[in-house]
Amino acid sequence: MADNTKLAAEIRTKFGKGAARKIRANDKIPAVVYGHGTEPQHITLPGHETMLIVRQANAIIDLDIEGTAQLALVKDVQRDPVRQVIEHIDLVVVRRGEKVTVDVPVVVEGESFSGTIHVQDLASVSLLVEATKIPEHVVVDVEGLEDGKQVLASELELPSGAELETDPEALVVQIVTPRATADDIAADEEAAEAGAEAGAEGEAAASSDDDDESASDSE
């Protein structure tokens, strides 16, 4: 386990909104650890260090709860919807060697065939993986793929030992050729009409000049 996943936690004995506000005011975060048939344990975590760790999806934390070691998976991070401050964290007890089901982000790499774009239909896929070997993401390489190509969940290259839990037939990425939008078509039509009107005005002006010259010659 990497050093930056280790956190010293304190057992929490006071509860309620008021107690939680005081904890956050002291740059700490309320949390609860549960699972594997154990009684939920309410703890507080150091604010800054915890925020750095939970930036990563499916972070595993090696907790030191007042001298007792406990491995836990970050299950849920509750944030204030306006200030985005972490208000509470749910942690699930895990054991080394056991497998857990997690949602892993899908990252698209490469450039599809010239003139096409990729459309990502799934932002993440569900995997059954060893708790201490959860991948940061799963990569889809679209380099050179042509219009109409579809990449299904079953075609993803998974890390060794990982099992796909998402429907194998689920569409992850598809390659398409962009079509003109209704706004683009309307804009082109307006431009064409404006050009036609300008051309007509120019012809009318030229015809008027010819008439003036003809009248002058006749005089």
Side-chain angles (χ1 to χ4, degrees), residues 110-149:
E111 295 290 336
S112 58
F113 190 76
S114 178
T116 66
I117 61 172
H118 74 267
V119 178
Q120 186 169 347
D121 286 74
L122 280 186
S124 64
V125 289
S126 183
L127 302 180
L128 179 65
V129 294
E130 193 171 327
T132 55
K133 297 180 180 179
I134 299 174
E136 291 186 12
H137 54 255
V138 174
V139 173
V140 178
D141 187 0
V142 300
E143 187 65 37
L145 297 186
E146 299 183 359
D147 179 61
K149 172 61 179 177

Side-chain angles (χ1 to χ4, degrees), residues 156-200:
L156 295 175
E157 185 174 343
L158 303 180
S160 177
E163 300 175 40
L164 183 68
E165 294 281 287
T166 294
D167 180 359
E169 297 302 311
L171 179 61
V172 180
V173 174
Q174 58 182 322
I175 308 301
V176 301
T177 299
R179 309 298 183 197
T181 65
D183 288 342
D184 293 334
I185 295 173
D188 290 342
E189 290 177 349
E190 289 179 5
E193 290 177 2
E197 290 176 359

Side-chain angles (χ1 to χ4, degrees), residues 11 17 39 60 71 78 83 104 127 129 137 141 163 174 187 189 201-202 208-209:
I11 296 175
K17 293 183 178 180
E39 288 292 325
I60 294 287
L71 203 61
Q78 299 164 26
R83 297 178 299 155
V104 178
L127 302 180
V129 294
H137 54 255
D141 187 0
E163 300 175 40
Q174 58 182 322
E189 290 177 349
E201 291 175 357
S208 176
D209 290 342

Side-chain angles (χ1 to χ4, degrees), residues 50-72:
T50 302
M51 285 190 291
L52 294 178
I53 290 174
V54 300
R55 287 179 180 177
Q56 175 186 334
N58 304 309
I60 294 287
I61 302 178
D62 197 351
L63 295 171
D64 178 353
I65 307 175
E66 297 186 359
T68 301
Q70 178 63 69
L71 203 61

Side-chain angles (χ1 to χ4, degrees), residues 20-86:
R21 280 195 295 268
K22 289 181 180 179
I23 290 171
R24 290 191 289 269
N26 290 324
D27 192 28
K28 295 182 180 181
I29 300 172
V32 62
V33 187
Y34 58 90
H36 275 294
T38 61
E39 288 292 325
Q41 193 167 21
H42 299 275
I43 60 175
T44 61
L45 301 172
H48 180 68
E49 294 93 329
T50 302
M51 285 190 291
L52 294 178
I53 290 174
V54 300
R55 287 179 180 177
Q56 175 186 334
N58 304 309
I60 294 287
I61 302 178
D62 197 351
L63 295 171
D64 178 353
I65 307 175
E66 297 186 359
T68 301
Q70 178 63 69
L71 203 61
L73 166 69
V74 177
K75 190 66 175 177
D76 184 50
V77 179
Q78 299 164 26
R79 301 177 185 272
D80 180 280
V82 177
R83 297 178 299 155
Q84 290 300 301
V85 174
I86 297 178

